[in-house]
Amino acid sequence: MTHAAPAAVHHTSMGLDSRKMAFWAFIGSECLLFGSLISTYLIYKGKSVVGPYPHEILNIPFTSVSTFDLLMSSLMMVLALAAVQRGDMKWGKIWLFSTALLGMVFIGGQVIEFTEFVHKGLTLQTNLFGCTFFVLTGTHGAHVTVGVLWLLTLWVRALQGKLGPGNAMTVEITGLYWHFVDVVWIVIFTVVYLIQ
Amino acid sequence: MADPEVREQAHPTADVYLRVAAVLVILTVLEVGVFYVPAFHPVLVPVLLALSAIKFTLVVMFYMHLKADSKFFTFLFGAPLLLAVGVMVALMFLFYGTLTLRGAAGAG
């Protein structure tokens, strides 16, 4: 199979790939976004005057499975990158699709969780917990959705033979985004779900 | 100057990735286990934060390759991260801390 010609590599004066440098700067800005959302959640923690309260509604076993799912998706992502870098596009496609699939499972779990909460009376307007919880986890869910679309795009390009070892940096940058989404969830799982 | 291709592509092997994944799963099981064991409740918050920090560091160092990549990427990620954590800690002190400006004025 022939692969597309590698994308032009632009190195900065420091000898680093400019796309990767820009993406790390973007991830840095995302740290500030999620930092502000997590801070807001913590500031209003325990200040709701009406229920439902976190300990009444959060389902730890269910969310633990979602956390495991996202951790495994990160493993699939690095295996996809390793496969693309060594030119093994068969496994590259399998791991890329697996990553996207696990991302979709996570989003599905979040949809089920949100629906259940709404049925139990927790909405954005119910109390401070509902407002800060839905904004924080919803923003994270939106990031996961973007990541899944990005992964599926790469997978389709791989199926078309337009993704090869020459485009490994594209896969690596996608991976950086995906792993960042994972580390944000590591923090949210602890701060929101386990420390009640 | 070092060859950028060498500097940016010295990534771990699949074996390392699998070991890191195993550690991440074990740490997640520990987190959930600690949550359900009443004996840990007095130290629940520091233990959970420590486990979470270890998981965060493992993913960033091995899966995001900061351990092998240029230190400048570590700076690009670490500086805003430290700023975010600093703001978070400052807000916690402002809203929950005992050493507030109002408290100090009241004491005086």
Side-chain angles (χ1 to χ4, degrees):
Chain A
M1 178 191 283
T2 56
H3 298 298
V9 179
H10 300 285
H11 286 300
T12 62
S13 58
M14 299 173 75
L16 303 170
D17 187 282
S18 55
R19 292 168 300 167
K20 198 169 169 181
M21 186 185 283
F23 206 79
W24 270 112
F26 167 71
I27 289 177
S29 72
E30 289 276 276
C31 283
L32 294 170
L33 168 70
F34 280 103
S36 64
L37 293 175
I38 293 169
S39 297
T40 309
Y41 178 84
L42 290 174
I43 285 167
Y44 290 123
K45 193 180 174 79
K47 294 194 172 158
S48 296
V49 290
V50 293
Y53 301 104
H55 65 276
E56 297 171 341
I57 203 163
L58 295 177
N59 186 341
I60 303 301
F62 183 82
T63 319
S64 301
V65 173
S66 292
T67 304
F68 174 77
D69 170 81
L70 210 54
L71 284 174
M72 288 304 100
S73 77
S74 265
L75 173 64
M76 303 292 119
M77 187 68 238
V78 283
L79 292 177
L81 173 62
V84 172
Q85 281 176 334
R86 66 172 182 266
D88 183 355
M89 289 314 297
K90 179 192 165 195
W91 279 102
K93 286 176 220 168
I94 291 172
W95 294 132
L96 273 176
F97 185 73
S98 303
T99 312
L101 188 65
L102 290 176
M104 287 187 274
V105 169
F106 179 85
I107 295 165
Q110 201 166 41
V111 169
I112 291 169
E113 184 189 39
F114 281 14
T115 307
E116 192 183 318
F117 286 2
V118 170
H119 285 154
K120 287 181 178 174
L122 186 75
T123 65
L124 263 173
Q125 294 88 14
T126 307
N127 55 18
L128 282 170
F129 166 63
C131 181
T132 52
F133 172 84
F134 280 120
V135 171
L136 173 58
T137 54
T139 305
H140 178 265
H143 277 73
V144 177
T145 307
V146 170
V148 167
L149 293 173
W150 193 348
L151 284 163
L152 288 175
T153 306
L154 280 189
W155 178 65
V156 169
R157 284 179 63 82
L159 287 178
Q160 293 170 335
K162 293 177 180 173
L163 190 75
N167 310 104
M169 182 55 74
T170 307
V171 180
E172 187 172 348
I173 288 171
T174 311
L176 287 178
Y177 179 83
W178 192 255
H179 299 311
F180 176 72
V181 165
D182 185 23
V183 293
V184 168
W185 185 255
I186 286 173
V187 177
I188 290 175
F189 179 60
T190 301
V191 171
V192 175
Y193 289 87
L194 296 180
I195 302 175
Q196 293 178 18
Chain B
M1 182 184 286
D3 181 0
E5 293 301 319
V6 173
R7 208 170 34 185
E8 289 187 35
Q9 291 181 8
H11 291 167
T13 59
D15 185 46
V16 174
Y17 291 144
L18 289 169
R19 286 181 191 189
V20 171
V23 174
L24 289 171
V25 170
I26 291 168
L27 290 175
T28 305
V29 171
L30 275 177
E31 276 183 323
V32 179
V34 163
F35 176 80
Y36 282 112
V37 178
F40 280 103
H41 283 185
V43 289
L44 187 65
V45 174
V47 169
L48 286 176
L49 287 179
L51 290 171
S52 177
I54 295 169
K55 285 167 68 183
F56 186 101
T57 308
L58 281 173
V59 173
V60 169
M61 285 180 71
F62 291 96
Y63 286 0
M64 296 172 88
H65 310 121
L66 275 190
K67 189 172 183 283
D69 266 350
S70 165
K71 296 296 173 206
F72 188 68
F73 295 146
T74 306
F75 168 75
L76 281 178
F77 177 65
L81 180 66
L82 279 179
L83 182 61
V85 172
V87 168
M88 208 179 294
V89 171
L91 285 169
M92 289 301 104
F93 270 105
L94 191 64
F95 281 82
Y96 295 106
T98 51
L99 290 173
T100 60
L101 288 175
R102 188 180 299 170

